[in-house]
Amino acid sequence: MADISTVDLIQIIIWFLAGCISFYFSIGNARVWTSISMGFFLIFLSQLYVVEKALDAPWTAYTQLEAIHYIIGTIAIMVMTYGFQEYYIFSRTLEIGGSKTVVYLAILAVVAASVAFVFANPEPQYTVLRNIRMIENSTWVFLSLVNIDMIRKIHQQIHDSVIAKGFIAFGVIFVAIFLWKGSELYLQVYNWDADWKIIMQNLGASVPDLYMGRRDFSQLVHDISGLLAGFSVGGTFIYLFRLLR
């Protein structure tokens, strides 16, 4: 595992535990929690490529797989946002439609359609993969802010409920996620990310050693907030599960 950093390894372990907890939570609780918990489970699937590349798994030679991981990451935040919108409506009307099975099948259909889209198009090169990753990070940054506002509105509706503190914890999660994805997007926008460095090396060029302080600080924010996001997701679902069981 020579190509995986300690931070990446810890992050994968944390997201594995958080993904298992959130998936189990979706099975063991009311329908209204399904989309939210499945969205957090999908984050784990989107992060698995780090381990697969570090293990030099034979299927990582196909760049389509890396593209699929990034697209699943985009689907994750969209599913979560839909879930919080559902919960906001539920907190005002106490009505919710559909079933868990429909949610699971809908998510599976969207992932399957994304896989078909990737394989129906030319094999993505490094520049294309970087573009897909930037789209993922941009979506996360924008929808994290939307979810923070949505969580604030939900908390106002249920502030006397026993699970109100759980939504404060969700707010902390999305602040951490905003910093995690936002710092990576900042590095990408200014061509300071690792992928751009590899692209330049393949072209026989190099990235100028300018603004190293800002690069290092952004990378530090990315690493710390990524770990905090994983820890806070696991802790929040354990807290909610103990309250709701």
Side-chain angles (χ1 to χ4, degrees), residues 5-19:
S5 68
T6 303
V7 171
D8 284 338
L9 181 60
I10 294 173
Q11 201 170 53
I12 287 297
I13 294 172
I14 292 171
W15 277 113
F16 172 70
L17 296 174

Side-chain angles (χ1 to χ4, degrees), residues 207-228:
V207 179
D209 292 331
L210 300 174
Y211 306 105
M212 290 302 295
R214 298 182 191 185
R215 296 190 208 182
D216 293 343
F217 178 74
S218 299
Q219 188 61 50
L220 181 65
V221 171
H222 174 265
D223 292 344
I224 292 176
S225 55
L227 293 175
L228 178 61

Side-chain angles (χ1 to χ4, degrees), residues 3-242:
D3 295 328
I4 189 168
S5 68
T6 303
V7 171
D8 284 338
L9 181 60
I10 294 173
Q11 201 170 53
I12 287 297
I13 294 172
I14 292 171
W15 277 113
F16 172 70
L17 296 174
C20 290
I21 294 168
S22 59
F23 184 73
Y24 183 72
F25 187 85
S26 76
I27 297 173
N29 279 286
R31 152 75 182 85
V32 70
W33 289 102
T34 310
S35 299
I36 297 173
S37 51
M38 282 302 297
F40 282 108
F41 172 70
L42 289 176
I43 300 179
F44 165 66
L45 298 183
S46 72
Q47 293 294 300
L48 263 182
Y49 74 93
V50 178
V51 171
E52 293 166 356
K53 290 178 70 174
L55 293 174
D56 198 22
W59 54 85
T60 55
Y62 299 96
T63 55
Q64 291 98 333
L65 183 67
E66 189 167 348
I68 290 168
H69 278 297
Y70 296 148
I71 292 173
I72 288 177
T74 307
I75 295 171
I77 184 64
M78 295 173 73
V79 170
M80 271 185 271
T81 304
Y82 173 77
F84 281 112
Q85 289 176 338
E86 266 197 323
Y87 202 99
Y88 177 60
I89 294 172
F90 173 73
S91 69
R92 294 176 63 87
T93 66
L94 298 181
E95 294 180 359
I96 192 73
S99 67
K100 289 184 180 181
T101 303
V102 171
V103 175
Y104 293 136
L105 291 177
I107 293 172
L108 189 61
V110 172
V111 172
S114 301
V115 172
F117 173 82
V118 170
F119 280 94
N121 282 287
E123 182 179 352
Q125 303 301 309
Y126 283 119
T127 51
V128 175
L129 288 173
R130 186 171 180 271
N131 290 340
I132 296 173
R133 194 167 182 176
M134 287 185 71
I135 292 171
E136 179 197 4
N137 286 331
S138 301
T139 307
W140 271 93
V141 169
F142 173 70
L143 291 183
S144 290
L145 294 175
V146 171
N147 284 335
I148 289 170
D149 183 57
M150 192 66 63
I151 289 166
R152 179 186 64 80
K153 292 177 179 176
I154 294 172
H155 185 266
Q156 286 179 339
Q157 292 290 329
I158 64 166
H159 64 277
D160 292 329
S161 167
V162 292
I163 62 170
K165 291 181 180 177
F167 279 89
I168 294 175
F170 276 127
V172 173
I173 291 172
F174 278 102
V175 170
I177 288 177
F178 173 78
L179 294 173
W180 177 31
K181 298 293 185 179
S183 56
E184 185 174 354
L185 180 61
Y186 172 72
L187 291 169
Q188 290 171 324
V189 167
Y190 284 93
N191 295 334
W192 293 339
D193 57 301
D195 289 338
W196 181 256
K197 187 176 180 180
I198 293 173
I199 292 171
M200 294 297 285
Q201 287 174 343
N202 290 339
L203 294 174
S206 61
V207 179
D209 292 331
L210 300 174
Y211 306 105
M212 290 302 295
R214 298 182 191 185
R215 296 190 208 182
D216 293 343
F217 178 74
S218 299
Q219 188 61 50
L220 181 65
V221 171
H222 174 265
D223 292 344
I224 292 176
S225 55
L227 293 175
L228 178 61
F231 277 122
S232 55
V233 169
T236 300
F237 277 107
I238 290 174
Y239 172 73
L240 289 172
F241 186 76
R242 294 179 64 180

